[in-house]
Amino acid sequence: MSLPKKTKIISIVVLLIVAIGCVIYLNQPESSQSTDDAYVQADFTLVTPQISGTIHQVLVEENQQVKAGDLLATINDADFSVAVDAAKAQVESANAHITSIQARMAQQQTTIRQAQTAIDVDNAELKLAKENQTRYRNLAADGSGTVQAMQQAEAQLSIRLASRNKNLAGLDAAKQQIDILKAEMESAKATLAQAKAAQAAAKLKLSYTQITAPVDGMVGQKSVRAGTFVNTGKPLLAIVPLNKLYITANFRETQLAHIKTGQSVDIKVDALPNTVLKGTVESVGPASGVSYSAVAPHNATGNFTKIVQRLPVRIRILPNQAEVNKLRVGMSVIPTIYIKDKQ
């Protein structure tokens, strides 16, 4: 039995309305994006010794909260203390050498003044000897004086000339000694600088026997034990800054079109049922995870199957939330990013 004409029209109109509604619904932009490929992360710090040695004390336990600067462990410092003392002795020796050179320079200045005084005396006596030589020569010439007196005056003049030349040579030698002492002083200063550098290096190595926390956080992955020998650069423990946790969510590339910095995020944590934390989009990663792979896929060879890539989105967890202190690195979460503002 055929339906009445009016019923047919109503049915057709209803079907058209439903179809139009489905098209509108399916074509409206999505209001949110979520993924279950997301985890709690933190930029934790591996604590490594900067010198090799035997662990003397371990002052922290696994999962202990520490502050930046807290002492974590110590390395036996006997050898390093001896090195500091030896370096200190070298500095003191270099300082003593410089003091000795300064004293010799002061003494040499006295020697120079003495030589200059002797030359002044020689000049005065030489002047007198020249006048006597001239006088006795004139007396001998007119017969008033003897030849012997003239010869004695000439000999005295030669003696004074020789004495002055000797003292002049001594003055030059004394001045040259000053230059030698100055060069020796420069060498001594360089030795002192080298000794001070060695002392600073020894003190720095001694300070490395005190292993301290570089950041605030919780101790984890502790492998250090008292009495064990550790090598430079070998990790002893990790410090996880639980006050700086964030979410890394790996979204499919097809989900990223409308994800932007600053958008609000709801975060469901698998370990905290019935708890929804708040966050914001901090940044979108510059490359997909496979782009950092040591062995890159060879997409340009053989048969190709397109695979949707995932890119990391960093989500900041808003502070002052009651359950945030229960989060731990590695926990699975489901973040929902709101593309449009929540009404």
Side-chain angles (χ1 to χ4, degrees):
M1 182 178 67
S2 60
L3 294 173
K5 184 176 181 180
K6 184 177 180 181
T7 303
K8 290 181 179 179
I9 294 173
I10 293 173
S11 298
I12 292 171
V13 171
V14 170
L15 289 173
L16 285 174
I17 292 173
V18 171
I20 293 171
C22 289
V23 170
I24 293 174
Y25 176 78
L26 292 174
N27 285 278
Q28 69 178 351
E30 295 182 347
S31 61
S32 65
Q33 294 286 1
S34 65
T35 181
D36 58 0
D37 187 357
Y39 307 92
V40 178
Q41 292 191 348
D43 298 326
F44 60 86
T45 301
L46 292 176
V47 178
T48 61
Q50 294 179 273
I51 55 172
S52 298
T54 303
I55 296 296
H56 178 60
Q57 282 182 310
V58 179
L59 304 172
V60 292
E61 298 295 336
E62 189 81 19
N63 305 330
Q64 178 179 332
Q65 286 281 356
V66 295
K67 296 288 186 182
D70 286 353
L71 188 61
L72 305 177
T74 61
I75 295 175
N76 191 311
D77 64 357
D79 293 341
F80 302 99
S81 296
V82 170
V84 170
D85 292 339
K88 180 180 179 182
Q90 290 294 327
V91 171
E92 292 175 350
S93 175
N95 277 322
H97 189 201
I98 289 177
T99 302
S100 175
I101 295 173
Q102 290 172 339
R104 288 162 58 193
M105 290 181 72
Q107 184 181 29
Q108 197 61 30
Q109 291 292 346
T110 302
T111 301
I112 290 173
R113 289 194 297 271
Q114 289 176 343
Q116 186 63 59
T117 301
I119 291 172
D120 293 340
V121 173
D122 288 337
N123 287 333
E125 292 180 345
L126 182 60
K127 180 180 179 182
L128 178 61
K130 285 182 177 180
E131 292 175 351
N132 287 337
Q133 189 252 2
T134 301
R135 184 184 314 112
Y136 285 115
R137 180 180 293 173
N138 292 334
L139 291 174
D142 61 12
S144 301
T146 62
V147 174
Q148 181 181 5
M150 181 188 70
Q151 290 174 342
Q152 288 178 347
E154 289 177 349
Q156 192 66 25
L157 177 61
S158 298
I159 292 172
R160 295 306 172 199
L161 282 171
S163 177
R164 190 185 69 164
N165 291 336
K166 176 184 176 182
N167 288 331
L168 284 172
L171 178 62
D172 291 340
K175 290 181 178 180
Q176 290 173 0
Q177 188 63 30
I178 288 292
D179 294 334
I180 294 173
L181 290 173
K182 286 181 179 179
E184 190 175 347
M185 175 64 78
E186 293 302 318
S187 176
K189 287 181 178 179
T191 301
L192 176 62
Q194 185 177 9
K196 286 183 176 179
Q199 184 183 33
K203 287 182 177 179
L204 186 61
K205 286 186 177 180
L206 179 61
S207 71
Y208 290 157
T209 61
Q210 306 287 308
I211 302 173
T212 57
V215 294
D216 296 350
M218 180 179 286
V219 174
Q221 205 174 5
K222 184 174 78 72
S223 62
V224 59
R225 300 289 183 272
T228 57
F229 186 86
V230 295
N231 291 310
T232 303
K234 181 182 178 181
L236 303 180
L237 53 86
I239 296 181
V240 183
L242 295 179
N243 60 337
K244 296 182 180 179
L245 297 177
Y246 59 89
I247 305 296
T248 296
N250 298 299
F251 283 89
R252 298 188 303 275
E253 56 186 311
T254 53
Q255 296 178 284
L256 296 175
H258 301 292
I259 293 179
K260 298 179 182 178
T261 300
Q263 291 171 335
S264 61
V265 185
D266 282 350
I267 305 166
K268 294 181 180 180
V269 185
D270 291 0
L272 304 174
N274 304 320
T275 297
V276 178
L277 300 176
K278 303 297 181 181
T280 59
V281 175
E282 194 170 80
S283 62
V284 178
S288 64
V290 72
S291 301
Y292 298 110
S293 175
V295 181
H298 297 287
N299 295 331
T301 61
N303 295 327
F304 172 69
T305 301
K306 184 176 180 180
I307 300 174
V308 177
Q309 300 297 311
R310 289 181 179 268
L311 280 82
V313 175
R314 181 163 172 153
I315 298 171
R316 174 175 173 265
I317 303 171
L318 296 180
N320 302 323
Q321 299 184 73
E323 302 295 319
V324 168
N325 60 351
K326 295 181 181 180
L327 294 178
R328 294 295 184 269
V329 174
M331 283 184 173
S332 298
V333 299
I334 301 176
T336 300
I337 300 176
Y338 290 94
I339 306 303
K340 295 181 178 181
D341 292 337
K342 295 170 67 177
Q343 299 298 323

